[in-house]
Amino acid sequence: MKIFQCLFLLLFCYLACGSLYAQGGLARGVKSIVSVRSVQLARQAFTQRKLISQVSRGLVQISRPGASEVLGTGFIVSSHRRLWVAMPYHIGGVAGSRRLIRFMGENQQPVEREISIVANGNAGWHSLDISLAEFPQEEAPFVQPLSIGAPMLNKEAYSFGYVYGRVSGLEEILPMERYLFNAEGFGLTADRRIFGEDVKNPFNISGYCGSPVVQQIDGQWNVVGMHVGSCEAAEGLPRSFAVNVSKGLPLLLNRYLENGYNFSRDLSFRGWSIGKLLPSERVYAVSVLRDGEIVFVQELRNYPHPYSDDHCELAFGDFELLLGDELHFSIRNNQREMRHITYKLP
């Protein structure tokens, strides 16, 4: 009997020691995970601090003249021996619009300058959602233009910018981490992650548009995109959208430098070019005449879906068009002057 008791005690001691060892191993595993996570967070914080110090001299705040409230962000690029401010079209507006920019000037003192938009694209997730203005030449020595590069998919990226509604202090730059996974047309799509208090209220980043999206390419940080919006995807993952600036900026800038304010863009329907629009014009409304009677009207001023003049067919939604229908496109410019383009379905 004593032999069995001794064997039982030995077995108990063995199991107890094994349990303590397993717990120690678990604790070591947790510590290992925590240390890896700490290293990741430290690396991200270092990257963000380093990037903010580099990118901030190329950032500007965008406001309306006479207003202190921030509309969003713009950034400075260099081309044709001149400096330009790039911003979203839905913030900057059409050619001729006036905007106020704020940035750090001489001796790191805040500077305000009024600028005029010289070229613009149009709105929509995959559209050329960019407006361009020339940066004041006399302030060029005090800023650092950002380099443009082509995006790399399935790779991390970062963006930094100012948030709509916050007052115009130039020191508060909100960082965002992104993972680019899709490029289509002028658009870039990414998963996104924000930090700090803004995680609790994603609506705080409303107006973050215009923030440059940067990636490290061959050891150099380049702007690959311009943030233009965010949403929650069907599976609950946060998504962010950006304009592919390596495609969009050269196109818009070259058009302007070749043609000035008067360059035009195509107004198309189902692949057919049906007219020309100036940068200051956009489609205000569409209507359909059938046998001389108006059977459909859609104003686009408050149209709820992403829309661009390049894809006018989106404005007709589910309405069934028939051969012989006469389509009317009401065109309005920034002076609210109206003209019409008519197209008859063959």
Side-chain angles (χ1 to χ4, degrees):
M1 186 68 179
K2 289 183 178 180
I3 294 175
F4 286 111
Q5 287 176 342
C6 291
L7 289 173
F8 177 78
L9 288 172
L10 287 172
L11 179 61
F12 177 79
C13 291
Y14 174 79
L15 292 174
C17 291
S19 176
L20 288 172
Y21 180 80
Q23 290 178 12
L26 180 61
R28 286 192 296 274
V30 171
K31 288 180 180 178
S32 177
I33 292 171
V34 170
S35 64
V36 169
R37 181 61 180 152
S38 298
V39 169
Q40 290 174 339
L41 291 173
R43 185 183 297 118
Q44 289 171 359
F46 172 77
T47 301
Q48 290 170 26
R49 286 195 301 271
K50 187 177 179 181
L51 277 175
I52 287 176
S53 67
Q54 294 178 1
V55 170
S56 59
R57 290 189 63 204
L59 292 184
V60 300
Q61 281 184 352
I62 309 295
S63 294
R64 291 188 178 90
S68 61
E69 192 175 58
V70 178
L71 290 176
T73 307
F75 56 87
I76 303 168
V77 297
S78 176
S79 182
H80 297 78
R81 299 182 180 181
R82 291 147 76 180
L83 296 185
W84 310 86
V85 180
M87 68 195 79
Y89 162 70
H90 67 266
I91 288 177
V94 298
S97 299
R98 305 291 294 177
R99 291 292 180 265
L100 188 74
I101 59 172
R102 299 186 186 92
F103 55 94
M104 289 295 187
E106 189 174 9
N107 299 321
Q108 289 296 294
Q109 295 300 308
V111 176
E112 290 189 352
R113 292 286 183 270
E114 195 169 315
I115 58 173
S116 178
I117 302 300
V118 297
N120 65 272
N122 42 46
W125 290 137
H126 302 298
S127 299
L128 187 55
D129 191 350
I130 300 178
S131 291
L132 277 176
E134 194 161 356
F135 184 78
Q137 196 64 34
E138 66 275 13
E139 302 291 346
F142 311 114
V143 297
Q144 180 62 54
L146 306 181
S147 300
I148 303 298
M152 297 182 65
L153 296 184
N154 303 314
K155 185 177 179 182
E156 292 81 6
Y158 297 88
S159 53
F160 305 89
Y162 301 104
V163 179
Y164 170 79
R166 297 188 181 178
V167 185
S168 54
L170 289 168
E171 69 283 352
E172 292 189 11
I173 299 175
L174 174 70
M176 181 187 293
E177 187 179 64
R178 318 161 85 101
Y179 186 79
L180 301 184
F181 65 85
N182 184 43
E184 180 182 346
F186 290 115
L188 293 174
T189 312
D191 294 327
R192 62 137 170 96
R193 191 157 65 94
I194 54 180
F195 304 90
E197 290 299 314
D198 294 288
V199 174
K200 301 175 184 177
N201 183 8
F203 293 104
N204 283 350
I205 67 168
S206 175
Y208 182 76
C209 293
S211 303
V213 180
V214 297
Q215 277 186 324
Q216 192 171 33
I217 303 171
D218 296 330
Q220 179 179 350
W221 290 98
N222 291 328
V223 178
V224 299
M226 174 194 290
H227 179 90
V228 293
S230 295
C231 71
E232 296 295 323
E235 58 272 27
L237 295 173
R239 292 280 189 260
S240 64
F241 302 92
V243 178
N244 186 339
V245 292
S246 66
K247 285 186 176 181
L249 272 178
L251 175 64
L252 193 61
L253 191 56
N254 289 338
R255 281 180 178 175
Y256 168 66
L257 292 174
E258 289 175 7
N259 303 291
Y261 281 108
N262 296 317
F263 80 79
S264 59
R265 63 187 190 277
D266 285 336
L267 175 61
S268 60
F269 182 79
R270 296 182 179 175
W272 290 294
S273 178
I274 60 175
K276 296 286 186 179
L277 297 178
L278 296 175
S280 60
E281 294 180 319
R282 62 158 296 172
V283 179
Y284 177 80
V286 295
S287 56
V288 179
L289 268 71
R290 182 176 296 165
D291 298 327
E293 295 184 4
I294 297 176
V295 293
F296 176 84
V297 176
Q298 174 66 65
E299 285 193 5
L300 303 180
R301 179 178 52 184
N302 296 314
Y303 196 62
H305 304 295
Y307 171 78
S308 74
D309 295 324
D310 295 328
H311 302 92
C312 286
E313 57 266 32
L314 294 178
F316 294 93
D318 296 329
F319 182 79
E320 185 178 358
L321 294 168
L322 303 179
L323 296 181
D325 282 349
E326 194 173 274
L327 313 183
H328 284 244
F329 300 86
S330 301
I331 313 300
R332 178 172 283 179
N333 65 13
N334 54 355
Q335 305 299 321
R336 303 185 68 81
E337 297 169 338
M338 188 79 77
R339 69 182 180 95
H340 301 276
I341 294 177
T342 300
Y343 177 72
K344 190 170 185 177
L345 292 180

